[in-house]
Amino acid sequence: MEEISDVQNIEIAGEGKQYIVVRLGTEQYGIDIKYVDNIVRNQRITRVPKAQHYFKGVINLRGEIIPVMSLRLKFGLEPDEYTNATRIIIIKLEQQSPIGIIVDEVKEVVTLTGGSIDKANTSDPADPLIQYLSGVGKHGNGLISLLNISAVIVGRESKDVV
């Protein structure tokens, strides 16, 4: 009897997409869970000379060297504030090496259906930050900006983002 209800729960969850909700400053962002390889506590980051300003350096995760970038700096926000809640999310895109992104906090995993996701609209279509969003999800009483994580990671140098 329990097995049947488990199967039904999996089917219900399969109707939507799962996102890991993270906090950057006062904003919430969603990252498609299929790209998340691991979530680790903040650790010592070794700086790499002459890297883009938003790359903080590299970490050694179980013998694998992984570059780490700051989403705050990439988005033109104030520099990272490291706390006990700060995490590094290891993202693995198809055909690419893993990369870590620093977030202020990992909040929860949510399942959003197509009806609760709106396309990202902006009053200024020339806004360079819009390329990093795939939509806006409605969850509870709040809104979650859904990141197009491949555009964030593979996207061009963001020196023009202010």
Side-chain angles (χ1 to χ4, degrees):
M1 194 75 146
E2 289 178 274
E3 293 175 19
I4 294 172
S5 65
D6 287 344
V7 169
Q8 289 171 341
N9 287 339
I10 290 170
E11 288 174 9
I12 290 169
E15 291 175 8
K17 245 185 176 180
Q18 287 192 312
Y19 293 89
I20 289 189
V21 179
V22 300
R23 182 179 58 79
L24 285 179
T26 58
E27 300 295 320
Q28 292 190 112
Y29 296 90
I31 300 171
D32 192 330
I33 202 165
K34 74 180 179 182
Y35 298 117
V36 176
D37 186 53
N38 203 343
I39 299 172
V40 296
R41 290 187 179 276
N42 193 30
Q43 54 187 277
R44 186 174 176 278
I45 298 173
T46 304
R47 296 199 49 78
V48 175
K50 299 192 179 192
Q52 292 97 332
H53 72 283
Y54 53 84
F55 273 101
K56 301 300 273 185
V58 295
I59 60 171
N60 183 345
L61 185 64
R62 293 183 288 281
E64 188 175 7
I65 303 301
I66 298 177
V68 177
M69 68 185 273
S70 165
L71 280 185
R72 281 177 169 250
L73 294 178
K74 178 87 175 193
F75 293 168
L77 303 173
E78 64 275 355
D80 296 289
E81 297 172 14
Y82 298 100
T83 67
N84 287 336
T86 302
R87 296 290 183 266
I88 299 173
I89 299 178
I90 308 301
I91 302 291
K92 213 167 196 182
L93 298 175
E94 298 165 11
Q95 309 296 323
Q96 284 216 279
S97 300
I99 187 167
I101 57 173
I102 301 170
V103 298
D104 293 346
E105 179 185 12
V106 174
K107 296 187 66 113
E108 61 184 324
V109 175
V110 299
T111 301
L112 299 176
T113 59
S116 63
I117 299 174
D118 290 336
K119 266 299 205 200
N121 290 327
T122 181
S123 57
D124 180 10
D127 182 359
L129 287 178
I130 197 68
Q131 70 179 332
Y132 299 139
L133 297 180
S134 62
V136 177
K138 294 174 256 181
H139 181 69
N141 292 332
L143 296 176
I144 303 167
S145 298
L146 305 176
L147 292 177
N148 177 350
I149 201 69
S150 60
V152 171
I153 291 173
V154 180
R156 66 180 190 269
E157 164 64 40
S158 66
K159 64 184 174 194
D160 54 357
V161 176
V162 178

